[in-house]
Amino acid sequence: MNRRIVSAVTGAALIAGSLIVLTPSAAVAQTVTEASCSGDSLVSEELAAGSTWQMCWRIDSYRGLVLDKVAYQPRDDAAPFLVLDSIALAQLNVPYDTGATEYNDVTTYQVGGRRLQAIEDIDCPTGEVRDTWVDATRGVIPSVCIAEEDSGIAYRSNVPRDALYAAQGTDLVLHSVSRIGWYEYLTEYRFHDDGEISVRLGATGDLSPNDYVNVVNQGWPLAPGQEDFAVNHYHSAFWKVDFGLDSGSTQTVEKFATTPTGEYGTTGDTGHTAILDTKITTVDFETKTMGANREAYRVVNPESLNADGHARSYEIIVPRDQAYNLNPETDYDIAFTNAKSDEVHASYNLIPSKAGQMVTDYIDGEALTDPVAWVNVGFHHINRDEDQSPMPIHWQGFTLYPRDVSAQNPLIPEGRKWVNGDMRGVPNPNIPTTPPTTAPTTAPTTEPTTTPTTEPTGTPTAAPTGTPVPPAPGQID
């Protein structure tokens, strides 16, 4: 387990075995994140590609790992760009298919507090572990792992006559572990070097030994033969995402809707390619949505522009294949409300001024000016033999996708910085403009200068020229 102690006040360097304290010659302005937290609560990490993420972290007794003032700084930018005011798990709804059992783990059982597990070496083999106080019984425990992890290919383009532009990427990853009943949950936030954010909940541990039924359509047989049907169930995870794009006082929500026009193009390979029309409309008031095919939402700061003059935004990408929308608490994929301090939990809210309320209650027709997204991602756990034991981890989550935060790829290689917009007819500066010489300057000689001799010059001697002399006695031949 790697513990790295970093002072937020003093910088130091090791030079030739001596510790030298570095005193800045001029005060450096604090970022929004640095003004919000310091010491071990502050995470500020420059990744291998040169981009930087900053955030404050804390453990909430009920919601577990909470991140505040999350900011991204592209490699070539001078200052961080605030993305989120905060993000946290807001509910974990677990109904069983028999209808006999349903849990709301965040508000009933806690994800932090007594449920938080101590981070072990196996949980954080290469990263940094930080501690936090959890309760009077256990006091301070190692509670969060912070690591830079490989993420695979970041980009690849093999440009003819130019070069192969390719790079491996890395992510800054924060995660904590909670044990609720027989399940163990990993709350994970993955910050990519290109500005993307992956939000995930992993479930492992063991199936509940108390939830078996002899009803074929409500469980799966785990014992030999058709016996011991473990009850199928849902995990519906809800996150509260409070946007703070570039610290903007006004942010808007926009909906992308792509629909077929009914017309078809005739020049493609099939000769019958549907013509699609994408319209962008503003979501003016608080609402909840159950997304349809070819629909998406983004939160945008209209006053924060990139170098191309385009408004910076983040798009919310949600998988919709296993949504559980069978009660009022879970009947949406994404809901939008204005940020309010007493609207904390997606259902069975624990804040006294709005005790017991849910997202549906928070929606009261207000104009959206400071949007919060409530994101619901479901996973229908149809049990299988491989779940025993321990259960292999399964993941559910969503993506926050940067849209026009940068005018180009924030990791763009030097040789591609000239590409911005329609470059047809613009010569590639990396390719010589003078065509290479393809023909030799003189014609090659194709005939030999003299005729080769094909006949021998004389008759070969086939027999010895004389009679051999036998060796004298005692002479060795």
Side-chain angles (χ1 to χ4, degrees), residues 461-470:
T461 302
T465 57
T467 304
V469 179

Side-chain angles (χ1 to χ4, degrees), residues 242-294:
D242 187 355
F243 289 89
L245 299 178
D246 207 12
S247 303
S249 58
T250 299
Q251 300 171 91
T252 59
V253 177
E254 292 180 346
K255 174 183 175 181
F256 299 170
T258 301
T259 56
T261 62
E263 300 177 337
Y264 292 84
T266 58
T267 57
D269 287 351
T270 63
H272 193 71
T273 304
I275 298 175
L276 304 179
D277 184 43
T278 298
K279 292 184 178 179
I280 302 175
T281 57
T282 301
V283 179
D284 294 317
F285 300 98
E286 295 178 325
T287 187
K288 58 182 179 179
T289 70
M290 181 61 74
N293 191 23
R294 298 187 296 272

Side-chain angles (χ1 to χ4, degrees), residues 28-38 42-44 52-56 68-73 78-82 247:
V28 178
Q30 280 189 319
T31 66
V32 172
T33 308
E34 291 166 345
S36 302
C37 64
S38 61
L42 173 66
V43 176
S44 183
T52 299
W53 283 97
Q54 288 189 333
M55 64 205 68
C56 304
D68 299 308
K69 301 302 179 184
V70 178
Y72 170 64
Q73 184 172 345
F81 170 84
L82 187 67
S247 303

Side-chain angles (χ1 to χ4, degrees), residues 309-325:
H310 301 151
R312 295 184 173 99
S313 69
Y314 265 77
E315 187 175 341
I316 307 170
I317 301 176
V318 180
R320 296 187 171 97
D321 55 333
Q322 298 194 50
Y324 182 89
N325 58 350

Side-chain angles (χ1 to χ4, degrees), residues 48-309:
S51 48
T52 299
W53 283 97
Q54 288 189 333
M55 64 205 68
C56 304
W57 73 275
R58 56 191 169 95
I59 298 294
D60 181 87
S61 295
Y62 285 90
R63 295 176 293 162
L65 180 59
V66 179
L67 303 181
D68 299 308
K69 301 302 179 184
V70 178
Y72 170 64
Q73 184 172 345
R75 179 195 62 201
D76 298 332
D77 284 13
F81 170 84
L82 187 67
V83 180
L84 303 174
D85 280 331
S86 69
I87 185 169
L89 195 65
Q91 189 59 278
L92 181 56
N93 176 253
V94 187
Y96 280 68
D97 288 11
T98 58
T101 304
E102 183 172 358
Y103 303 107
N104 287 288
D105 287 340
V106 169
T107 51
T108 303
Y109 299 100
Q110 298 185 341
V111 176
R114 65 186 186 276
R115 306 296 179 183
L116 193 70
Q117 298 288 290
I119 295 290
E120 305 288 349
D121 289 350
I122 192 65
D123 300 314
C124 195
T126 61
E128 172 195 354
V129 177
R130 296 192 188 179
D131 302 338
T132 193
W133 186 91
V134 288
D135 55 40
T137 302
R138 292 189 294 164
V140 174
I141 67 169
S143 55
V144 65
C145 174
I146 305 170
E148 182 175 6
E149 298 182 3
D150 293 338
S151 58
I153 285 288
Y155 58 78
R156 189 183 194 280
S157 181
N158 198 356
V159 182
R161 298 173 55 212
D162 184 350
L164 170 62
Y165 297 98
Q168 292 283 326
T170 62
D171 301 333
L172 173 64
V173 184
L174 281 75
H175 83 260
S176 63
V177 183
S178 305
R179 183 174 178 86
I180 306 173
W182 288 90
Y183 269 88
E184 298 204 8
Y185 293 100
L186 271 70
T187 301
E188 181 189 273
Y189 298 96
R190 187 171 289 269
F191 301 91
H192 302 258
D193 49 14
D194 63 358
E196 183 177 314
I197 303 172
S198 296
V199 181
R200 303 201 302 172
L201 182 72
T204 180
D206 275 284
L207 296 174
S208 168
N210 304 315
D211 291 289
Y212 283 83
V213 66
N214 290 321
V215 179
V216 174
N217 295 335
Q218 295 173 354
W220 196 269
L222 299 187
Q226 296 296 304
E227 296 183 5
D228 296 349
F229 285 77
V231 179
N232 302 327
H233 51 281
Y234 259 91
H235 300 264
S236 291
F238 296 78
W239 285 268
K240 179 183 178 182
V241 187
D242 187 355
F243 289 89
L245 299 178
D246 207 12
S247 303
S249 58
T250 299
Q251 300 171 91
T252 59
V253 177
E254 292 180 346
K255 174 183 175 181
F256 299 170
T258 301
T259 56
T261 62
E263 300 177 337
Y264 292 84
T266 58
T267 57
D269 287 351
T270 63
H272 193 71
T273 304
I275 298 175
L276 304 179
D277 184 43
T278 298
K279 292 184 178 179
I280 302 175
T281 57
T282 301
V283 179
D284 294 317
F285 300 98
E286 295 178 325
T287 187
K288 58 182 179 179
T289 70
M290 181 61 74
N293 191 23
R294 298 187 296 272
E295 280 187 1
Y297 292 85
R298 72 166 180 165
V299 177
V300 57
N301 181 343
E303 297 177 354
S304 177
L305 307 180
N306 68 17
D308 283 346

